[in-house]
Amino acid sequence: MSARHRATGPTTTWTLDGRSARTVGGEVALDEPTSGIRTSTDDMLLGLDLRIASGGPRLVDHWVRGEDLVAVYEPTDPRRLRATAMWRRHDRRETAVELVVSSQTSLTESDSSVAVVCDLAGGTIHWATQRPGDPTAITDWQPLTAASSCPVEATCLLVKRPADAVLVAVHPADARHVAVRATHGRVVVSCWLFSTAIEKGVLLRSRVLAATGLLTDTAWADSMAADFLASPPLLTA
């Protein structure tokens, strides 16, 4: 088991302490990737659910590289899905983080589906997607009630609370299903990735964005979501 710390610039977003990593306003327990970033505002952002029924994934390596926190997980279930999680600050903003997920398998073919999960203090839920004919903009935010299902075209959600708002967005080029569950004063957003089978030698890669900002003026969410959704998809090999 090894841990490496490599910096490529004068500042580092993450600080490693054994199998934990800290950043401004949050902490990641690397042995528990499903828990994601635990924040000081009682949110859990960008947890990685590898769908392992018991025992959890096995952390085999982790390091900080510049502003990225990277963790590698070996499979402990029959899918043999090896995953790399990279939490990185989005556009150098402390309140916005992306989780880049990479998966591959040693089997001839395997189920590739994983989920990126955000568990948030509750609020009113709204959804949007890329504006038809203009991929550099998003549609108006539409309300989503606790009893309704998330539309299949939804690529970003905005949870508005008394003091702030949280944006969660998944890149539209990725095969996905976004599920929302509101219960006991919490909102759980699950962004399902890699819905097709994966073959040996193929690397799948995707990313999800989470950001916190002002409730009084959510133009920041419009701009950030539009930029993220319009950005080119990540390369695969």
Side-chain angles (χ1 to χ4, degrees):
M1 197 77 64
S2 64
R4 307 192 296 275
H5 182 284
R6 302 193 296 263
T8 58
T11 60
T12 301
T13 302
W14 301 92
T15 301
L16 278 177
D17 181 8
R19 295 184 173 216
S20 295
R22 295 183 179 87
T23 188
V24 176
E27 183 175 359
V28 177
L30 294 170
D31 277 324
E32 302 175 3
T34 307
S35 298
I37 305 171
R38 293 287 184 180
T39 75
S40 56
T41 56
D42 195 31
D43 291 328
M44 185 278 284
L45 303 176
L46 302 177
L48 177 59
D49 182 1
L50 294 172
R51 300 176 49 227
I52 296 177
S54 61
R58 184 165 61 94
L59 176 69
V60 295
D61 206 355
H62 61 287
W63 64 89
V64 170
R65 179 175 57 218
E67 296 186 348
D68 298 341
L69 169 65
V70 185
V72 181
Y73 299 95
E74 288 286 1
T76 58
D77 68 343
R79 293 194 302 157
R80 309 305 298 168
L81 200 66
R82 191 177 200 261
T84 300
M86 180 167 62
W87 291 271
R88 62 176 9 164
R89 190 164 62 184
H90 176 79
D91 196 26
R92 303 185 63 84
R93 303 185 194 189
E94 293 176 349
T95 58
V97 181
E98 290 182 34
L99 174 57
V100 180
V101 182
S102 303
S103 295
Q104 54 192 135
T105 183
S106 59
L107 300 180
T108 302
E109 185 175 276
S110 182
D111 173 13
S112 63
S113 58
V114 300
V116 174
V117 180
C118 295
D119 187 338
L120 312 172
T124 60
I125 310 166
H126 300 74
W127 69 273
T129 190
Q130 281 181 306
R131 188 176 295 278
D134 184 2
T136 63
I138 63 169
T139 60
D140 294 334
W141 294 102
Q142 301 295 320
L144 182 71
T145 66
S148 65
S149 60
C150 193
V152 67
E153 67 268 27
T155 49
C156 42
L157 298 173
L158 189 65
V159 180
K160 298 181 179 180
R161 289 102 64 98
D164 59 12
V166 180
L167 169 69
V168 180
V170 61
H171 196 274
D174 303 320
R176 89 276 177 224
H177 167 67
V178 179
V180 181
R181 178 168 53 90
T183 180
H184 303 299
R186 307 288 299 181
V187 173
V188 180
V189 180
S190 300
C191 299
W192 288 91
L193 309 175
F194 313 144
S195 61
T196 59
I198 184 174
E199 298 178 351
K200 185 175 182 179
V202 173
L203 176 69
L204 297 179
R205 185 174 289 141
S206 184
R207 65 198 191 274
V208 177
L209 167 70
T212 303
L214 296 174
L215 175 62
T216 52
D217 180 5
T218 57
W220 64 269
D222 295 14
S223 174
M224 189 178 295
D227 288 347
F228 179 73
L229 299 185
S231 63
L234 295 169
L235 296 177
T236 59

